[in-house]
Amino acid sequence: MKDSIDFGSMNISTLFRKLLIPTVLGMVFSALFVITDGIFVGKGIGSDALAAVNITAPLFMIAAGIGLMFGVGASVVASIHLSQGKRKVASINITQAIAFSALLILILSALCLYFIEPLARLLGSSDRLLPLAVEYMAWYIPFLVFYEVLNIGMFCIRLDGSPTYAMMCNAVAAILNIILDYIFIFEFGWGMMGAAFATSLGTVVGGLMTLIYLLRFSRTLHLCRIKLSIKSLLLTLRNIGYMIKLGSSAFISEASIACMMFLGNYVFIHHLGEDGVAAFSIACYFFPIIFMVYNAIAQSAQPIISYNFGAGQPERVRKTLHLAIRTALICGISFFILTVLCCQDIVSLFIDRSYAAFDIAVNGLPYFGVGFIFFAVNMIGIGYYQSVERGQRATIITLLRGVVFMLIGFFALPPVLGTPGIWLAVPLAELLTTFYIFGIYLKDRFIVCRR
């Protein structure tokens, strides 16, 4: 399972490629979780079901954000400890991250299930969509802890030098989800329950695969017993706090996508009704592919940057950053062109022309796709600051991108541009974020030059 990887001396391009290819494939399989649900729900149940799933999506993005927060935080800390030869400390870090986040998700899941109907209304569900949204949540929320373990485990396994196995965890989970989606929705006729349960079972298998690896097959990082003495618990809380600080921007990044969906659902239902939400949900189903690829590029660069940052090799850090930016930009431009040329084909994957949401989505997706180019730069910029222990800066960028600029877009553009303004709100937020990143980069360069 262990790949031949040396973070400190291997050629940067070769090292980045070794991490990138399996990581991208793994992330694409992960995105299939979301997209497959959309295709089967739209084709097998209808556009209202598609809208209902999109209503509940912010809740699951928050759960994913918690997993990414602890995954990034633990991976950065463990990377630096490994570069200093502290393997035992690194193993303790990842164990603390997995155990604490799993406990947190279990508590949050119990609260969500207890308040499930008010929660669905809070997320923006109308009376018409409420039964579908509640049914979907009831069969997905209890299994979120396995989704959490899967998300964090990916970081740990890649850091252990086995990106191919990390890819397989996502691939097996996604393939199982596709098979079960078809069986549960089309063969058994289980509707929303079937869609949610299929995804849940896929995450259970993926989560168990990561645990088995870290318990039995890992070479460097292992899950270990957490001591329950007062001193050990205080140290654990201190470490958890530091991981949260480093990974908070990853959480906010996911939360910003949840914010995008939340605000978008409200704005679309206000201007275009349930059909508008269904159309927006197609963009939200397509968006994970874009996000996952950029996230894979950032995550592939992260262990290289963190390791060499800890080892005091700034030139290797700089080369990795530049390579990641170039790769992300190429992908961003390609995704934009693909969206413009194939928007009808993308929409037809989810619903047919008989639904009013079809034309709304076809007309809106090209506007939405403009943001993919700027999003590429933003993801790499945020990932870089996380990797060099500048979590506060990464958090500020993410808050601006996901909350401040997003609010400006959704509330300023529709009155001026009408329906195209709703679709352009997210691209505007990404563009403003890119300007901000370039601004602080030029400021840092100016300070260095003056010294």
Side-chain angles (χ1 to χ4, degrees):
M1 294 181 186
K2 185 146 176 104
D3 300 312
S4 177
I5 288 177
D6 185 340
F7 291 106
S9 61
M10 186 179 288
N11 177 270
I12 291 294
S13 297
T14 303
L15 180 57
F16 184 70
R17 187 170 60 251
K18 273 181 169 286
L19 289 168
L20 180 64
I21 294 173
T23 303
V24 167
L25 291 174
M27 288 292 181
V28 168
F29 280 120
S30 183
L32 287 176
F33 264 143
V34 182
I35 293 173
T36 302
D37 269 348
I39 293 172
F40 282 108
V41 167
K43 295 289 189 180
I45 310 174
S47 68
D48 274 4
L50 205 61
V53 174
N54 205 57
I55 290 290
T56 68
L59 175 66
F60 307 120
M61 298 303 297
I62 294 294
I66 293 173
L68 287 175
M69 176 174 68
F70 283 101
V72 168
S75 182
V76 171
V77 173
S79 296
I80 293 171
H81 283 146
L82 287 177
S83 72
Q84 298 166 353
K86 301 176 182 177
R87 294 188 176 187
K88 179 66 174 178
V89 177
S91 293
I92 291 172
N93 292 147
I94 68 161
T95 304
Q96 292 168 335
I98 291 174
F100 186 86
S101 64
L103 177 62
L104 178 61
I105 283 295
L106 286 172
I107 294 171
L108 293 176
S109 297
L111 290 172
C112 290
L113 286 172
Y114 187 76
F115 297 104
I116 189 166
E117 188 169 319
L119 180 61
R121 291 190 181 277
L122 179 66
L123 291 170
S125 177
S126 64
D127 290 336
R128 179 171 132 191
L129 300 178
L130 184 63
L132 295 169
V134 168
E135 184 180 0
Y136 191 84
M137 292 164 66
W139 285 92
Y140 193 18
I141 290 174
F143 302 94
L144 281 176
V145 65
F146 292 98
Y147 186 47
E148 201 72 9
V149 171
L150 178 61
N151 274 332
I152 300 175
M154 296 300 94
F155 288 89
C156 302
I157 293 170
R158 281 192 290 269
L159 184 58
D160 192 62
S162 300
T164 302
Y165 184 84
M167 176 196 72
M168 290 303 299
C169 293
N170 276 325
V172 170
I175 292 169
L176 182 61
N177 181 37
I178 293 171
I179 295 170
L180 293 179
D181 258 332
Y182 176 79
I183 294 172
F184 291 167
I185 294 175
F186 289 98
E187 297 296 325
F188 293 176
W190 286 356
M192 294 293 279
M193 183 202 82
F197 194 40
T199 302
S200 296
L201 290 179
T203 59
V204 168
V205 172
L208 291 176
M209 286 178 66
T210 63
L211 289 177
I212 291 169
Y213 176 90
L214 292 171
L215 287 169
R216 298 290 302 274
F217 301 109
S218 57
R219 303 283 184 88
T220 304
L221 297 171
H222 306 274
L223 293 180
C224 50
R225 188 184 301 274
I226 297 177
K227 296 179 181 179
L228 299 179
S229 66
I230 298 297
K231 181 180 178 181
S232 296
L233 289 175
L234 289 175
L235 287 172
T236 296
L237 289 175
R238 186 198 68 179
N239 290 340
I240 290 296
Y242 188 54
M243 292 177 203
I244 290 174
K245 179 182 177 182
L246 290 176
S248 59
S249 57
F251 169 76
I252 296 171
S253 182
E254 287 286 331
S256 69
I257 299 176
C259 182
M260 175 193 79
M261 293 180 175
F262 181 75
L263 290 172
N265 287 333
Y266 269 97
V267 174
F268 271 95
I269 206 166
H270 175 73
H271 287 272
L272 300 169
E274 283 85 356
D275 291 326
V277 177
F280 181 57
S281 71
I282 294 171
C284 293
Y285 275 117
F286 180 58
F287 188 73
I289 283 283
I290 314 300
F291 174 75
M292 290 295 183
V293 171
Y294 295 161
N295 203 22
I297 296 170
Q299 288 185 24
S300 298
Q302 180 270 314
I304 307 173
I305 292 174
S306 293
Y307 189 99
N308 288 283
F309 174 76
Q313 299 192 63
E315 183 61 23
R316 289 176 64 82
V317 170
R318 185 187 63 80
K319 286 182 179 179
T320 306
L321 174 62
H322 290 177
L323 182 58
I325 291 174
R326 289 197 301 271
T327 305
L329 278 174
I330 292 170
C331 291
I333 294 168
S334 301
F335 284 136
F336 170 64
I337 295 172
L338 178 69
T339 303
V340 172
L341 295 178
C342 305
C343 57
Q344 287 199 21
D345 298 314
I346 293 169
V347 175
S348 64
L349 285 174
F350 299 91
I351 54 176
D352 57 48
R353 294 177 181 271
S354 63
Y355 294 103
F358 185 92
D359 289 330
I360 299 173
V362 168
N363 293 328
L365 273 180
Y367 294 115
F368 190 79
V370 173
F372 296 159
I373 300 171
F374 309 113
F375 187 35
V377 177
N378 300 339
M379 284 293 292
I380 302 306
I382 291 168
Y384 167 74
Y385 288 121
Q386 289 171 341
S387 301
V388 297
E389 296 188 290
R390 300 189 72 174
Q392 184 177 11
R393 176 169 285 186
T395 300
I396 291 171
I397 295 170
T398 310
L399 279 172
L400 288 172
R401 171 188 166 269
V403 180
V404 178
F405 296 152
M406 200 80 70
L407 283 169
I408 292 172
F410 273 119
F411 289 104
L413 291 184
V416 177
L417 301 176
T419 300
I422 308 176
W423 292 101
L424 286 169
V426 175
L428 175 65
E430 300 295 350
L431 174 62
L432 293 175
T433 306
T434 301
F435 285 156
Y436 180 80
I437 291 174
F438 273 118
I440 59 175
Y441 174 77
L442 293 175
K443 179 183 175 183
D444 289 344
R445 288 290 299 270
F446 178 73
I447 292 172
V448 170
C449 289
R450 289 195 64 180
R451 289 177 181 173

